[in-house]
Amino acid sequence: MIIEPPVLYPGTPVVLVSSVNPDGTTNLAPMSSAWALGHTAVLGLGAEGQTYQNLSARPDCVLNYASADLWTAIERLAPLTGASPVPASKAAQFRTERDKFGASGLTPVRGELVAVDRVAECPIQVEARVLDARPLTTGDGCAVEVAVLRVHVHPELAEPDLRHVRVDEWSPLFYVFRHYVGRGAELGRTFRATTPAVSAMSGS
């Protein structure tokens, strides 16, 4: 059966992107069009949003990966924009808010290699710097390519080798056709996985 969905988010992780406002403060925006390959990440953003404007002018950023229990804080951010005035395309549903951390109830922590705040509550925080920012050829938005500089994780996520994430402890928040969902039990592991299966680590 052929359908025409208004959005195509089959199941993507929710990322809070920290970027630098013109006055040096941190803008915080949720997004769900992000993917990583090696030490490079690519973000899909709207051209009129404050995040894209910031990243086009000031390259420091943090990709804060949200856990499932943060969905209400994410939703508090959803109708907010750092842009003033609100772009005409967003005016019916969005309002300007400069203090995104205060509005969401989240806690800023200063970046170590970038001049922008991380989100303390997010279990995975990736400091990064923009390599390229450009409009998509289709006109649907913009693509921003960033280089990963440093990865922070909450202590319970770190394997003893300080190279791997404990998959059984990581519960990411997914955005599925504009609904928030968490993860279920592990189904298996790829042949390229470099950590034991969850069942082996948990002793079950």
Side-chain angles (χ1 to χ4, degrees), residues 75-165:
E75 185 59 15
R76 285 194 292 270
L77 284 169
L80 308 179
T81 177
S84 180
V86 178
S89 61
K90 294 185 172 185
Q93 294 180 302
F94 288 77
R95 67 176 177 84
T96 299
E97 175 58 62
R98 300 297 294 179
D99 182 11
K100 298 284 194 71
F101 281 97
S104 62
L106 297 171
T107 309
V109 178
R110 200 64 181 165
E112 296 179 359
L113 300 180
V114 294
V116 66
D117 293 328
R118 300 178 278 134
V119 179
E121 291 81 0
C122 286
I124 299 177
Q125 307 149 17
V126 179
E127 297 189 42
R129 188 160 289 132
V130 173
L131 298 171
D132 186 47
R134 60 192 181 278
L136 295 175
T137 56
T138 59
D140 288 338
C142 300
V144 179
E145 182 181 343
V146 304
V148 172
L149 304 178
R150 179 165 290 176
V151 178
H152 305 262
V153 301
H154 286 185
E156 66 273 14
L157 293 187
E159 290 284 7
D161 63 4
L162 300 182
R163 294 187 63 245
H164 295 94
V165 170

Side-chain angles (χ1 to χ4, degrees), residues 41-61:
V42 178
L43 317 176
L45 299 165
E48 294 185 328
Q50 189 65 38
T51 298
Y52 182 70
Q53 300 304 316
N54 285 348
L55 296 180
S56 297
R58 291 164 295 281
D60 286 3
C61 62

